[in-house]
Amino acid sequence: MKNAILSQRDLAVLWHPCTQMHDHETFPLIPIKSGEGVWLEDFEGNRYLDAISSWWVNLFGHANPIINAALKNQLDNLEHVIFAGFTHEAAIELAEKLVAITPAGLSRCFYADNGSAAVEVALKMSFHYWQNCGQSQKTKFITLENSYHGETLGALAVGDVALYKKTYAPLLMDVMTVSSPDCYFREEGESWADYSTRQFVHLEQTLQQHANEVCAVIIEPLVQCAGNMRMYDAVYLKLLREACDKYGVHLITDEIAVGFGRTGTLFACEQAAISPDFLCLSKGLTGGYLPLSAVLTTDKIYGAFYDDYEKLSAFLHSHSYTGNALACRAALATLSIFESQDVLANNSILAAKMTVLAQRFLNHPNVAEVRQTGMIVAIELVKNKTTRDPYPWQERRGLQVYRYALSKGVLLRPLGNVIYFMPPYVITQDELTVMFDVAWQAMVNVTTK
Ligand SMILES: *Cc1c(COP(=O)(O)O)cnc(C)c1O
């Protein structure tokens, strides 16, 4: 009964994210008492395998002993200090590390406290850079169809997921939205690389016509996560980097979801051997412990703001919790795990196991596609495999998958009708098998109705 009591108290006073609260008249909330590794436990002893890393933030499990210890130690010394005029060791050490491990040329780190805020910072910095350089006609941003960059107004404006954006359209700045390299739409037999290359023509054309008024292109490298885990080939990023250089436009890569080993390399950009002008990081940055984000940028951009105060060229953006000491410490502990263990090699073994386990979904009559990039596997459910007609959204089949899987002890949270797996890196092969088995049962159950 403890679950029900907490749920009742919650629903009396709380308003949850990404939720029609009315749903909770029929779907129970799940109060979590504790977590350990990939497992979450509620107040009645039920356990749930966290197959989505608690919204893509957790890398090394809940209650990770290394991160716990680092945080306890930090807590006894410094919890937080104003980050203007003052600094502290954790923030300095983390910036040094981020500069060292991110793609070449990124030499400056600006902190914010969540992913959307990092995107706002990158957009403002890019715009402001061009202002400082006397190019005040540059005021626009280019983004891709089906992209997602967060939900504050600026971040929402450069995203393209209608579910989150449409209502607020009158409040949002105008952007140029270009057809995406999303390989779900490639021709039969066409490779990801060929389709992604072919789709680049749209971006090239837009740059050709509008570069003069454009500050930056913003992109999620390799995987459009919130956009139903749609994927594309790294060649697109290579072409994009070349075109941004050619046309004098910044490249902002949003690795908030895909950074820190999720796609097989430490950063997704590495697969195209490119460096952006701005790199946004958050989510996995603190191992899923505390809100923190960082925008990495170049000497050149930093230099355009660096001048006598009277020139009024400084970047004055700030958040109260900028560079929070506890969050920086959690991030350092997370990075220390990458240093002490061969995480990427282990992930590639886990990813290979995921490939094998996903095989059985391929031939199911309601599966249009099974796709994978590193530690992300997505299964696209459709009503008709041949025509790819989707299920009517009103049927909420994804939600039914969620509910069924929960009853079997696995936390899946399909995006629409796309079931996906994005587990913490500490998952075992046996736990992967459980996760895929339950997803299979859930899918069969929900597609035969
Ligand atoms: C989650 C996400 C964001 C927003 O981060 P929040 O911390 O939720 O504001 C931005 N971009 C991408 C690619 C994301 O996945």
Side-chain angles (χ1 to χ4, degrees):
M1 282 313 289
K2 195 79 195 287
N3 280 354
I5 291 165
L6 284 167
S7 183
Q8 235 171 24
R9 282 173 55 196
D10 177 298
L11 294 176
V13 288
L14 276 158
W15 193 342
H16 287 263
C18 205
T19 300
Q20 170 48 268
M21 292 301 293
H22 180 263
D23 278 355
H24 284 305
E25 286 191 11
T26 37
F27 306 152
L29 263 173
I30 301 174
I32 293 300
K33 182 176 165 204
S34 61
E36 187 185 2
V38 298
W39 295 96
L40 297 166
E41 189 169 327
D42 70 16
F43 283 81
E44 291 168 9
N46 302 305
R47 302 207 320 150
Y48 309 91
L49 194 165
D50 188 354
I52 58 158
S53 298
S54 281
W55 258 349
W56 323 341
V57 298
N58 192 293
L59 302 187
F60 298 113
H62 297 277
N64 181 287
I66 294 171
I67 305 174
N68 283 5
L71 273 178
K72 285 174 185 167
N73 187 44
Q74 179 67 47
L75 192 56
D76 284 334
N77 289 291
L78 177 69
E79 79 300 334
H80 180 73
V81 61
I82 177 174
F83 207 61
F86 289 76
T87 191
H88 58 86
E89 278 185 309
I92 297 166
E93 196 182 331
L94 179 59
E96 287 169 349
K97 288 228 151 94
L98 290 174
V99 163
I101 64 175
T102 51
L106 298 170
S107 52
R108 284 282 158 185
C109 174
F110 188 97
Y111 291 121
D113 50 17
N114 64 74
S116 303
V119 169
E120 303 283 346
V121 165
L123 297 174
K124 285 177 72 178
M125 265 186 189
S126 172
F127 168 82
H128 198 160
Y129 169 90
W130 295 115
Q131 294 286 314
N132 283 352
C133 295
Q135 301 226 41
S136 55
Q137 82 290 353
K138 280 185 177 280
T139 59
K140 294 268 190 319
F141 294 93
I142 297 177
T143 183
L144 294 184
E145 274 178 0
N146 191 47
S147 56
Y148 177 91
H149 298 289
E151 293 173 51
T152 53
L153 294 176
L156 196 60
V158 294
D160 185 48
V161 177
L163 183 64
Y164 308 126
K165 182 170 183 177
K166 205 167 155 227
T167 309
Y168 307 102
L171 304 181
L172 304 177
M173 70 173 161
D174 243 0
V175 298
M176 297 177 195
T177 307
V178 170
S179 183
S180 137
D182 174 359
C183 287
Y184 184 68
F185 298 110
R186 72 194 186 282
E187 297 295 322
E188 214 179 308
E190 189 175 23
S191 72
W192 282 26
D194 284 349
Y195 184 71
S196 300
T197 304
R198 186 152 71 78
Q199 279 297 92
F200 189 73
V201 72
H202 302 290
L203 195 54
E204 173 95 35
Q205 275 170 2
T206 307
L207 280 173
Q208 218 166 38
Q209 288 166 15
H210 299 285
N212 188 46
E213 47 182 317
V214 170
C215 302
V217 177
I218 181 165
I219 189 167
E220 295 158 272
L222 302 186
V223 189
Q224 296 185 313
C225 292
N228 291 352
M229 297 292 166
R230 293 292 177 75
M231 300 173 183
Y232 62 92
D233 192 89
V235 68
Y236 192 89
L237 297 170
K238 214 184 263 297
L239 295 170
L240 178 58
R241 177 69 273 182
E242 286 166 14
C244 285
D245 287 341
K246 179 173 160 195
Y247 292 105
V249 161
H250 292 145
L251 174 58
I252 303 171
T253 56
D254 174 353
E255 295 219 19
I256 289 167
V258 296
F260 300 104
R262 188 53 75 177
T263 66
T265 41
L266 191 56
F267 298 101
C269 283
E270 293 171 29
Q271 296 185 37
I274 60 151
S275 294
D277 301 290
F278 300 93
L279 171 66
C280 300
L281 301 172
S282 188
K283 290 203 167 109
L285 173 59
T286 62
Y289 266 66
L290 286 159
L292 178 69
S293 61
V295 178
L296 280 289
T297 191
T298 62
D299 278 347
K300 185 176 175 191
I301 285 159
Y302 179 72
F305 292 81
Y306 193 87
D307 209 335
D308 293 330
Y309 183 81
E310 295 72 25
K311 299 279 173 52
L312 296 177
S313 60
F315 189 63
L316 298 181
H317 185 102
S318 61
H319 295 288
S320 313
Y321 281 98
T322 299
N324 175 261
L326 287 166
C328 288
R329 187 56 67 191
L332 280 168
T334 301
L335 292 182
S336 80
I337 299 174
F338 280 98
E339 286 163 13
S340 64
Q341 301 170 19
D342 197 346
V343 175
L344 296 179
N346 185 55
N347 281 5
S348 90
I349 295 167
L350 293 171
K353 176 80 174 177
M354 288 169 79
T355 310
V356 172
L357 291 167
Q359 286 301 311
R360 71 192 289 198
F361 290 81
L362 275 170
N363 294 321
H364 189 277
N366 295 107
V367 172
E369 185 176 67
V370 176
R371 50 183 176 267
Q372 178 174 15
T373 299
M375 290 280 287
I376 306 173
V377 168
I379 294 161
E380 184 105 16
L381 299 187
V382 288
K383 190 168 174 181
N384 185 315
K385 195 180 184 88
T386 321
T387 63
R388 289 187 160 187
D389 274 349
Y391 284 112
W393 62 267
Q394 294 88 341
E395 293 177 7
R396 303 181 81 182
R397 303 234 173 197
L399 180 68
Q400 296 172 43
V401 168
Y402 168 76
R403 300 206 64 201
Y404 183 94
L406 268 184
S407 77
K408 304 286 178 204
V410 175
L411 166 51
L412 296 170
R413 201 173 191 279
L415 290 153
N417 294 323
V418 175
I419 300 173
Y420 72 90
F421 308 94
M422 199 159 164
Y425 306 160
V426 292
I427 196 165
T428 65
Q429 303 239 348
D430 287 347
E431 286 161 345
L432 281 176
T433 303
V434 169
M435 183 175 86
F436 275 85
D437 279 350
V438 168
W440 173 264
Q441 292 162 31
M443 182 192 69
V444 170
N445 184 272
V446 155
T447 50
T448 47
K449 274 190 204 158

